[in-house]
Each structure stands twice: as structure tokens, then as C-alpha cells.
Amino acid sequence: MTHREILAAFDAVAEARGWQPLHSPKNLAMALSVEVAELGRCFQWKDNSEIQALMQTEGSMGIAAELADIQMYLIKLAAVLGVDLDAALRDKIDENRRRCEIALCNEEADER
């Protein structure tokens, strides 16, 4: 789904339930935080092998649902704030690459 399609589906549910007035940046950020915490709860106290085993069961559907919730709230929050998420992501990836290059250069200099 595109961001536009996700927003349309998100907004349709919000409109049907009368939730549109609640979609302020603060409330959306808080809802996003809650969804991330719910994902974290799925992994709490599990090691990597237990998580891999979980992902081979029907429990993986719960993980997928939490990830979908996170994506929906993130896309809605970006839209409400007027942030072009694709552009922000490209910029952030470029910044991370530059940082990595600088860090690698510094490591090489330290080795000399």
C-alpha cells in the first residue's frame, strides 16, 4: 500500500468512529508510542531463538499487526505535521552514510 492508501484507510476508520478531532500531533505521537510499546511487550524476556520460534507460529500475526499499527500511526503523524516521510527518510539515510564514512575515516586515521 502507498502512504496515500494507508492514510485513506486510516482516515475512513477515524471518520466512521468520530476520532478525527483526536488526531492532534501530541495524541498521534502518544498512540505511536503505545503501539511501539505493544510490539516491545511481544518480545519482552525472549531471546533471539525464542523470537525466531514465535515468528514461525500464529503469534507472528500479532507481531505483524503491531508493526502495521506503528506504520499507520507514523504515516498519519507525518501527514498531520506536513512531513514528507519519503524525503525525510532519504535525507536521514544520506546523513547516516556520511556519519559512517566519517567514522570509518576516523578509525583508519587512528590505526595509522
Side-chain angles (χ1 to χ4, degrees), residues 103-112:
L104 288 174
C105 289
N106 289 340
E107 286 177 17
E108 290 172 4
D110 289 343
E111 291 175 2
R112 292 183 206 157

Side-chain angles (χ1 to χ4, degrees), residues 2 7 12 18 21 30 32 34 38 41-42 46-47 62 64 77 87-88 92 94 97 100 104 107-108:
T2 67
L7 281 172
M30 291 174 68
L32 176 59
V34 168
E38 288 177 1
R41 189 178 58 207
C42 295
K46 292 179 174 56
D47 62 28
L77 178 58
K92 186 61 178 177
D94 288 344
R97 285 182 180 142
C100 182
L104 288 174
E107 286 177 17
E108 290 172 4

Side-chain angles (χ1 to χ4, degrees), residues 85-101:
L85 204 49
D86 290 329
L89 185 56
R90 281 190 301 275
D91 291 346
K92 186 61 178 177
I93 289 170
D94 288 344
E95 178 186 337
N96 288 346
R97 285 182 180 142
R98 282 191 302 277
R99 285 182 178 176
C100 182
E101 289 170 3

